[in-house]
Amino acid sequence: MTSTFHSIETARRSLFTQTAALNTTGHNIANANTEGYTRQRVNMKAAIPIEAYGMNNSTMPGQLGTGVEFTSIERIREMFLDDQYRGENSASGNWSIQSDTLDKLEAIVNEPSDTGIRTVLDNFWKSWSDLSKNPEDPTARKIVVQTAQALTDAMNYMSTQLSNLDRDLGTNIDVKGREIQSYLNSIADLNQSISKIEGMGDKANDLRDQRDLLTDKLSKIANITVLDTDAGYNISLGTQPLVQGATVSAAVDSTFLSTAFASGDLKAGEAYGMLFSKNTYVADYRKQLDTMANTIANGEVQVTIPAGSTLPQGYTVLRDSEIINADGTRTTLTAGSAVPSPLPGDLKTSVMGLNGLHQMGYAMNGSSGRPFFTSSVAGEPITAATLKLNPEIAADPSLFATSLRTGTDSSGNVSVIKGNNTLALLFSNMKDNNTFSTADGSKTGTVGSYLSSMVGQLGIQSQEATRQASNADYLVDQVSSRRQSVSGVSLDEEMSNMLVFQHAYSAAARFMTTYDEMLDKLINSTGTVGR
């Protein structure tokens, strides 16, 4: 049988439910611009009718309703879009780092430009060409010293910049490792808190938002896999578990990330982009720059020494060589054979870079040439970092070997013809000599072509990384827009809901007032009291 005060309870339930809906609407509006916030909704349902099925059912027709209740306050979120977003976010993090690294490499190489290494190389070759016009000119010799030192300084500086970039990437990898560890610790703590709250029957909506935001940020750094379980998020990196419920399963640092990169578990995200850039781009261009420096100094190159030249006593050929005699016949010199003096014809032979070429000639004081470039670290091979002009030559430009001719005076004394420019011409022609070979023989061409191939490769890689980064950002924006359309707060929608809940609350309050008046009439104006 219906209670006299039944409708008071119905009105009370309505007021409480509409109040909860208004409070939730206000919470949504307040967090409209909060990063990671997911809009919330109050789930309402009709309360259980006053009459339930049973043996003692009343004879009154129908079941009288008991009002409204709200069963939960839930987040409006779609897990599929979260997984899609995190996957695209990892790709975006990777390509953005690769694109940024290649941009920095382009700034280091600085080609094409009027101040890049190509200009320095051209000035070096030109100084030898100018010296060949007057080998005895001390000014021209000093200019060769300056251009040679400018070349070594440019190589050293580029190598230093590459080392700095490599070190910066290594430092950032370590920073990213600590950042990942911080996120993992926070996610594990949130897993525990959420599990406790929801174990008591409540929805930990705001804590879940915090956990999802941290997970989104984590996905920018590495390609994580997220599994939602009763104990919370289980997060793994490839086959390596990171978080399992309230337990952090891994200690993440630069070593951990490097191992994951090598095993293939780490294959996207900013950490991957840094490791890939460090181990591939920076290492490759440092190697190419070292190869270029070593090729200039010691790379094998074919030259033709003109007939009549006099090479230093005891000079032997490096490889099998040919002398093209004046009558057209050819004489073969096997590797290690001594060279006749003076040459009866043009000698086609190989020398070890500018150092080997310089050692074929004579300086102003009559001494034979010495290595043109040396390593700044004794006993170490020449690299871009260690390349430097021979200190003896730098201190005394007269030690430049420019002559390949000797003469005999009336007394039979042999002396160097100082004005001979044969070697200086050979040096200036090295710019266009297409037979420079690297130490491993993998490349052959001019020194300029080495540089061009390196610059061209860098340009293509940078263009591709920029394109991929742009595409990845576009996909992230697309998924983010779709996710916002589901989970984001629409102020227009919330204002509409607020009006609906406000009117429902007002109507419920008016209903309670009306029923109160009815009870007043019943109690105070009916029966003996009302007479």
Side-chain angles (χ1 to χ4, degrees), residues 131-149:
L131 180 62
S132 69
K133 298 173 184 176
N134 186 2
E136 297 180 83
D137 183 6
T139 301
R141 287 177 170 271
K142 289 181 180 179
I143 291 174
V144 173
V145 169
Q146 295 301 317
T147 57
Q149 289 179 331

Side-chain angles (χ1 to χ4, degrees), residues 170-355:
T171 301
N172 287 333
I173 291 166
D174 189 56
V175 170
K176 288 299 176 183
R178 292 197 297 271
E179 189 175 350
I180 290 174
Q181 191 67 59
S182 174
Y183 287 152
L184 296 179
N185 292 336
S186 298
I187 290 171
D189 291 341
L190 286 168
N191 278 342
Q192 186 176 25
S193 299
I194 292 168
S195 180
K196 288 180 179 179
I197 292 172
E198 296 190 346
M200 295 184 290
D202 293 327
K203 291 284 187 180
N205 293 325
D206 293 324
L207 292 182
R208 280 181 171 269
D209 283 346
Q210 293 179 32
R211 185 177 65 181
D212 282 328
L213 179 59
L214 292 175
T215 305
D216 288 345
K217 291 182 176 180
L218 185 59
S219 71
K220 185 81 170 177
I221 305 175
N223 54 294
I224 57 172
T225 301
V226 182
L227 180 63
D228 194 1
T229 68
D230 292 339
Y233 279 176
N234 286 351
I235 299 177
S236 59
L237 178 66
T239 59
Q240 176 67 47
L242 302 178
V243 170
Q244 293 179 308
T247 304
V248 178
S249 308
V252 180
D253 55 15
S254 57
T255 302
F256 176 91
L257 293 174
S258 297
T259 303
F261 176 82
S263 68
D265 285 335
L266 179 63
K267 54 187 177 183
E270 292 176 337
Y272 173 85
M274 290 175 183
L275 282 162
F276 184 86
S277 297
K278 174 183 169 66
N279 296 342
T280 302
Y281 295 140
V282 177
D284 179 49
Y285 287 108
R286 175 188 283 175
K287 180 180 178 182
Q288 289 192 57
L289 192 64
D290 288 344
T291 297
M292 181 176 168
N294 193 270
T295 297
I296 291 172
N298 296 318
E300 187 173 339
V301 59
Q302 296 176 12
V303 294
T304 300
I305 310 301
S309 298
T310 305
L311 303 186
Q313 186 177 5
Y315 185 87
T316 58
V317 293
L318 179 69
R319 299 276 187 267
D320 289 352
S321 306
E322 272 190 338
I323 297 177
I324 304 174
N325 300 305
D327 58 3
T329 59
R330 296 173 181 264
T331 303
T332 300
L333 298 178
T334 58
S337 299
V339 177
S341 180
L343 287 173
D346 294 340
L347 172 64
K348 287 189 174 183
T349 188
S350 296
V351 296
M352 301 306 291
L354 299 189
N355 281 352

Side-chain angles (χ1 to χ4, degrees), residues 18 20 57 130 143 156 160-161 178 190 253 287 394 505 520:
Q18 303 307 324
N57 193 29
D130 293 340
I143 291 174
N156 298 160
T160 300
Q161 292 296 95
R178 292 197 297 271
L190 286 168
D253 55 15
K287 180 180 178 182
Y505 184 92
D520 178 66

